Amino acid sequence: MTVPLPCGFEFPELDERAIDDLREHHFPGGGMTDCTKGLFRSDLTNDQLEHVFQKGLETQMTGSNANDYYERVFDSGIVNIGVT
């Protein structure tokens, strides 16, 4: 399934704002974490997040899950990347 990007966007980008949002929603201690979100290890670097982001773009999306989110399941190549 292909999901179109909003007008004005040609390709997803992992910029500083996106990294901040990831850390807020998907890292231990982030202000927007809850039981519906998977968490990354707290020691992941921005370069590692970029690697995960690029691998995710290569993977077909599945969904929606029980929480109405879409997911991509893939091997990031980073050992024990998540804590949940």
Side-chain angles (χ1 to χ4, degrees):
M1 174 175 130
T2 302
V3 178
L5 294 171
C7 293
F9 291 91
E10 294 182 21
F11 199 73
E13 180 180 346
L14 190 65
D15 58 14
E16 191 173 324
R17 178 180 174 193
I19 288 173
D20 289 345
D21 284 348
L22 277 170
R23 293 194 179 279
E24 186 72 6
H25 288 83
H26 295 285
F27 278 79
M32 298 299 291
T33 60
D34 63 36
C35 65
T36 68
K37 296 181 175 60
L39 300 179
F40 291 109
R41 284 190 343 242
S42 61
D43 64 338
L44 288 182
T45 66
N46 289 354
D47 286 342
Q48 288 172 312
L49 286 174
E50 178 67 32
H51 172 78
V52 171
F53 179 76
Q54 293 302 326
K55 292 291 276 185
L57 290 177
E58 300 167 5
T59 306
Q60 186 67 23
M61 194 178 330
T62 61
S64 63
N65 66 20
N67 296 311
D68 209 28
Y69 291 108
Y70 288 82
E71 301 175 318
R72 296 173 195 255
V73 178
F74 57 94
D75 182 357
S76 68
I78 300 172
V79 178
N80 298 323
I81 190 168
V83 296
T84 61

